[in-house]
Amino acid sequence: MTTDATGTGVTEQALASLQGAADPRLRELLTGLVRHLHDFARETRLTQQEWERAIAFLTATGQACTDTRQEFILLSDVLGLSMLVETVHGHRAPGATESTVLGPFHMTESPVRALGDDIDLAAGGEPCVVSGRVLSEDGTPLAGAVVDVWQADDKGYYDVQQPGVQPAGNGRGLFTADSEGRFWFRTCVPAPYPIPTDGPVGGLLRATGRHPYRPAHIHFIATAEGHAPVTTHIFVAGGDYLDSDAVFAVKESLVQDFTETDDPSLAREFGVANPFRHARFDLVLECAA
Ligand code: BEZ
Ligand code: FE
């Protein structure tokens, strides 16, 4: 039974209804959610029409999800929620590689590749080499660490966005670090790209006057025994949108030079034409607690 125009009665009833939840964490989460949702509706004086509009938006967001598209993750990303959760829980030991958002395009397994392989299967973009080591916090090389890599092509699309246009697995690779923890692969210099704007999230960006672009980047997940995995990116230094990433995921330590390199013997070693662009990036993992 509700009694007052501010709705505190219904808030109390809704909160009380959750107290029987057997799982204390579920109780805590739902209690917080109800409290904040009710305060939000009270503060903004949310109208019935606006509530209906919000329900229609969330319904459309769910309907836009498929096996290869995750519009809800995208919504979380553009509202900064993904990066907030990441920031609150992503604390690392000093010197360990910082993490950033997973994003919605890691939905397919990366093909296993040999060190030095080219993941730009369409060979469309400016060639580059990415190399580095996977290390423990104290600098010990992590032999056998696994480095999962995925990136958009030089036009800014992931393979899963263009089935039949790009070969499956384009821009993806699962590499195993050598006995000295080293990894290296060939690819193309990534380009900035717009996140998908043909769904409800695109409508939200347009309604709020926001651009949809992400700065050029390559995604990584590094895993090694006895260590906490890290999900991260490297961003191309000097590129556009580093200061206005649509999903707020740039961290300064992750911005890396893709250096113009004129070194015929190194080019031969990596199997690329000289000169070439070269990004060097170590992945430093925290010891598992
Ligand atoms: C990505 O980098 O793949 C990404 C991250 C968040 C939203 C859209 C794309
Ligand atoms: Fe991406």
Side-chain angles (χ1 to χ4, degrees), residues 64-279:
C65 294
T66 67
D67 284 351
T68 54
R69 176 164 185 159
Q70 235 305 349
E71 194 78 1
F72 266 115
I73 294 185
L74 202 59
L75 178 59
S76 165
D77 293 338
V78 301
L79 294 179
L81 179 62
S82 311
M83 198 54 194
L84 175 64
V85 172
E86 166 51 51
T87 303
V88 169
H89 293 284
H91 292 302
R92 292 280 186 280
T97 299
E98 289 194 282
S99 54
T100 190
V101 296
L102 175 69
F105 294 119
H106 186 255
M107 77 260 292
T108 161
E109 272 179 33
S110 298
V112 172
R113 301 204 191 277
L115 290 169
D117 276 358
D118 192 352
I119 62 170
D120 180 22
L121 305 181
E126 184 183 357
C128 78
V129 172
V130 178
S131 68
R133 287 169 307 160
V134 188
L135 304 170
S136 187
E137 284 167 54
D138 65 358
T140 310
L142 295 174
V146 173
V147 181
D148 190 354
V149 178
W150 69 107
Q151 73 169 85
D153 70 3
D154 60 306
K155 293 169 196 71
Y157 293 101
Y158 286 86
D159 58 348
V160 290
Q161 293 176 287
Q162 296 190 309
V165 176
Q166 290 188 40
N170 191 31
R172 298 181 194 268
L174 198 61
F175 296 93
T176 301
D178 72 6
S179 58
E180 292 172 48
R182 293 176 303 193
F183 68 90
W184 66 98
F185 60 91
R186 289 172 290 149
T187 183
C188 61
V189 179
Y193 64 83
I195 62 171
T197 55
D198 56 344
V201 171
L204 185 146
L205 292 181
R206 283 186 291 280
T208 52
R210 286 173 56 181
H211 77 69
Y213 282 89
R214 296 218 60 212
H217 60 273
I218 302 177
H219 296 259
F220 293 85
I221 298 176
T223 45
E225 221 177 291
H227 292 76
V230 67
T231 298
T232 193
H233 306 0
I234 55 173
F235 295 93
V236 181
D240 292 336
Y241 308 109
L242 284 168
D243 291 332
S244 64
D245 183 1
V247 303
F248 316 104
V250 179
K251 291 181 176 173
E252 213 181 310
S253 68
L254 303 177
V255 178
Q256 300 292 327
D257 288 322
F258 280 59
T259 312
E260 277 287 354
T261 305
D262 185 355
D263 184 336
S265 80
L266 194 58
R268 240 188 329 274
E269 215 177 287
F270 285 131
V272 285
N274 192 56
F276 62 102
R277 304 272 300 270
H278 189 182

Side-chain angles (χ1 to χ4, degrees), residues 14-15 18-19 25-37:
L15 290 173
L18 301 169
Q19 297 319 302
R25 179 63 174 157
L26 179 66
R27 188 163 65 238
E28 182 184 3
L29 290 173
L30 287 177
T31 299
L33 181 66
V34 165
R35 184 176 297 121
H36 286 283
L37 273 178

